[in-house]
Amino acid sequence: MVKPEILKKFTSILGPDRVKTAKEDLLTYSYDAFIAEYAPEAVIFPKTTPEVAEIMKIASANRVFVTPRGSGSGLSAAALAKEGGVMICFTMMNRILEINTANRYAVVEPGVIISEFQKELDKFNLFYPPDPGSATVATMGGAVMMNAGGMRGVKYGVTRDYLLGMEIVLPSGAVMNTGGVNAKDVTGYDLTRLLCGSEGTLALATKIIVRLLPKPKTKRTLQAIYSRIDDAGNTVAKIIEAGIIPATLELMDNQIVKALEDFMHLGFPLDAEAVLLIDVDGEPETVEKQAVLIAEFCKSQGARDVRVSQSEKENEQIWVARRSAFGAVARLRPNCLVEDATVPVSKLTEAIKKVIEVSKRNRVQIAVVAHAGDGNLHPLVLFDQRDKEELERVDKAIDEIVDYALSVGGTLSGEHGIGIAKSKYLTRQLSPTALEMMRAVKKTFDPQGILNPGSFLESAA
Ligand SMILES: Cc1cc2nc3c(=O)[nH]c(=O)nc-3n(C[C@H](O)[C@H](O)[C@H](O)COP(=O)(O)OP(=O)(O)OC[C@H]3O[C@@H](n4cnc5c(N)ncnc54)[C@H](O)[C@@H]3O)c2cc1C
């Protein structure tokens, strides 16, 4: 229980408008994009690093639990106040502090929305590639702490590949910097990378430094429709074998196609087992050649229809389908869980077929989108949480998908993180020694265990 005198101290630092305790406010912050629900006792909105440091000094002196949060778009319940306490929300720390064109880096506060940052960079012909499907709402801080990926991962990698450094506030309230603005820097342990993906359990990010790329000169989008999912899988393998690295390589299965048709009437044939969406970007000549080659691969592997965009506008039209996939599917049942098991790319088709088999056998509706180029499946599991019997079948199906992914050398999560949602599976992938090391790291940063308590390490089965 957060004592009233502590809340008074927070109010004296932030003012009454930035300390919320009303029941309806707390309810809004009691869930993210997963299905768990835990209400914090207060939600506070700092605007500066000294404010964050002051808050953490008070929290640590009084052993108050603190859960950091960006926009709450996470899919693994990593930003929930499982043990109560205070939620520290970074959405008001949202300034782009520097865009350095000479050295190609930028410094941002954690509450900056990813797509707004990307739009600003566009003005300088610069490019920050990580693009989670949630980029229009997710914050840079949340993305760093989840090491978010996205559709461009196949060519450009994930958040970690662009993170150069951070200013952080430790649970004790001490402020420190990690990394810096240099492209190369091997001074000491790489704490920046350790913190990236730490799910708000080690420290609070108050400034973020990322490296930037020049904006690709041109982009072409292809859409290929398949009667057989194996043919789509073989096309993916063929593209990768040929040494082409597309900017995006996404797959949607028949369930998604049907949901999209019902929702948006885009003209997909209802019997299509798979649709591939592919972007190539870079120098115009290379892009032209690659687009022609990929179109040939699609046809030779059995695609029944291949469309190659001819303009920026057409690129966008093709991508509307993929961007609407979650929305289209979420209409079908009261609840939708987005799974994130990831397998080696060569196992992609087998993995999708396994998910379809698990879905049928357990009588659980599962639609699949995949960042196919990097083996990252997103089975969208549809159900009604109020139906206990159905919930048991859902648990069993997810359990089987997790076990299958691990059995072929895959991982529990490619990009959505562990949070509360997947902590029960952690010991299936990590050895006791690995878990012990992680717990030791946590203890070093947060000896009192006040930051994001009850999250993935503590909840591990
Ligand atoms: C429709 C949809 C599509 C998505 N697509 C993708 C995708 O393609 N790829 C992908 O990787 N993810 C995706 N996600 C998941 C999610 O959007 C990302 O993980 C995103 O980076 C979370 O950002 P956020 O600001 O919402 O963070 P939150 O969910 O608020 O927080 C995420 C974690 O970061 C911690 N945190 C937040 N800010 C700070 C801070 N300043 N300091 C310390 N810790 C902090 C929180 O405690 C929590 O552990 C998707 C989600 C949705 C709903």
Side-chain angles (χ1 to χ4, degrees):
M1 171 87 181
V2 186
K3 294 189 184 129
E5 60 263 34
I6 304 286
L7 289 176
K8 245 190 214 162
K9 284 186 186 174
F10 290 156
T11 308
S12 73
I13 298 168
L14 303 175
D17 289 349
R18 290 192 279 138
V19 178
K20 309 271 183 208
T21 50
K23 211 173 167 191
E24 57 274 24
D25 288 325
L26 302 184
L27 184 68
T28 317
Y29 291 88
S30 65
Y31 52 86
D32 61 5
F34 186 67
I35 50 164
E37 201 176 324
Y38 297 98
E41 294 163 64
V43 187
I44 60 176
F45 298 85
K47 284 188 177 171
T48 66
T49 303
E51 285 179 356
V52 178
E54 273 307 294
I55 287 160
M56 290 316 294
K57 277 182 196 153
I58 294 165
S60 97
N62 295 279
R63 206 164 178 264
V64 172
F65 293 149
V66 175
T67 302
R69 181 165 169 117
S71 291
S73 72
L75 288 158
S76 60
L80 300 190
K82 191 177 178 202
E83 307 292 337
V86 174
M87 180 164 277
I88 181 162
C89 186
F90 284 96
T91 47
M92 288 190 186
M93 266 178 99
N94 60 356
R95 290 172 307 155
I96 297 173
L97 300 173
E98 183 184 357
I99 294 177
N100 191 308
T101 52
N103 296 298
R104 280 214 294 264
Y105 70 81
V107 185
V108 300
E109 289 184 332
V112 168
I113 301 295
I114 301 169
S115 67
E116 285 172 16
F117 176 48
Q118 287 165 331
K119 264 188 230 149
E120 196 56 31
L121 292 174
D122 235 24
K123 297 179 191 162
F124 300 86
N125 239 345
L126 289 169
F127 180 45
Y128 175 69
D131 66 333
S134 53
T136 52
V137 292
T139 63
M140 290 292 286
V144 163
M145 288 298 163
M146 299 312 282
N147 186 19
M151 297 193 238
R152 289 195 278 250
V154 57
K155 177 169 182 179
Y156 291 103
V158 296
T159 302
R160 182 191 287 131
D161 300 312
Y162 296 87
L163 188 64
L164 290 174
M166 272 193 269
E167 175 192 81
I168 56 167
V169 175
L170 292 168
S172 64
V175 180
M176 90 179 224
N177 293 299
T178 72
V181 300
N182 297 294
K184 290 174 112 178
D185 183 350
V186 291
T187 315
Y189 291 138
D190 192 343
L191 296 179
T192 309
R193 282 177 174 240
L194 175 63
L195 289 159
C196 185
S198 63
E199 304 193 3
T201 60
L202 300 180
L204 302 166
T206 45
K207 282 192 191 114
I208 294 164
I209 309 169
V210 290
R211 78 185 174 95
L212 307 170
L213 299 182
K215 200 178 157 198
K217 288 209 179 103
T218 189
K219 185 170 89 174
R220 273 298 188 92
T221 299
L222 293 93
Q223 172 187 284
I225 299 176
Y226 294 84
S227 299
R228 285 171 13 97
I229 199 155
D230 294 76
D231 296 340
N234 292 339
T235 307
V236 172
K238 193 95 184 143
I239 293 169
I240 289 172
E241 261 169 42
I244 300 174
I245 307 180
T248 54
L249 180 42
E250 297 284 304
L251 184 148
M252 304 189 291
D253 82 345
N254 175 259
Q255 298 267 342
I256 302 277
V257 166
K258 283 202 250 182
L260 275 170
E261 268 318 289
D262 190 44
F263 185 35
M264 304 185 75
H265 315 295
L266 295 169
F268 288 125
L270 291 178
D271 62 339
E273 275 194 8
V275 174
L276 286 182
L277 298 175
I278 307 159
D279 273 345
V280 275
D281 69 359
E283 292 295 321
E285 256 182 50
T286 318
V287 167
E288 281 314 310
K289 275 189 202 150
Q290 290 186 338
V292 169
L293 204 58
I294 291 175
E296 279 169 13
F297 287 155
C298 295
K299 283 179 201 149
S300 69
Q301 295 305 313
R304 64 202 240 186
D305 182 62
V306 181
R307 175 176 168 196
V308 184
S309 77
Q310 300 302 327
S311 64
E312 191 68 31
K313 197 173 159 208
E314 208 180 338
N315 292 347
E316 286 309 307
Q317 280 169 356
I318 293 177
W319 277 103
V320 163
R322 173 61 181 86
R323 293 215 185 88
S324 311
F326 284 7
V329 164
R331 294 162 66 241
L332 302 179
R333 296 297 308 277
N335 299 100
C336 174
L337 266 180
V338 185
E339 255 303 309
D340 184 35
T342 299
V343 296
V345 186
S346 59
K347 296 281 179 194
L348 182 82
T349 318
E350 181 189 306
I352 295 174
K353 286 162 96 173
K354 177 72 185 175
V355 172
I356 293 169
E357 185 270 316
V358 166
S359 152
K360 283 189 181 144
R361 185 163 35 76
N362 289 291
R363 290 178 291 114
V364 174
Q365 193 174 358
I366 307 180
V368 182
V369 286
H371 303 312
D374 41 31
N376 192 176
L377 300 182
H378 287 326
L380 308 177
V381 186
L382 302 162
F383 58 100
D384 183 344
Q385 201 180 0
R386 293 162 299 186
D387 181 340
K388 296 282 170 266
E389 190 271 331
E390 183 177 21
L391 211 51
E392 276 171 26
R393 283 186 280 116
V394 165
D395 273 349
K396 185 161 175 291
I398 294 177
D399 216 64
E400 290 180 16
I401 292 170
V402 163
D403 276 346
Y404 166 78
L406 294 179
S407 76
V408 296
T411 176
L412 285 180
S413 173
E415 57 181 19
H416 296 163
I418 301 302
I420 298 167
K422 283 205 159 175
S423 55
K424 65 178 172 184
Y425 306 118
L426 210 54
T427 51
R428 296 191 198 177
Q429 185 171 338
L430 299 180
S431 69
T433 313
L435 275 170
E436 202 182 304
M437 289 300 286
M438 289 189 193
R439 289 197 171 107
V441 171
K442 166 78 176 164
K443 203 145 189 88
T444 303
F445 276 86
D446 182 17
Q448 296 191 91
I450 59 170
L451 204 55
N452 210 346
S455 193
F456 74 100
L457 271 180
E458 285 103 323
S459 309

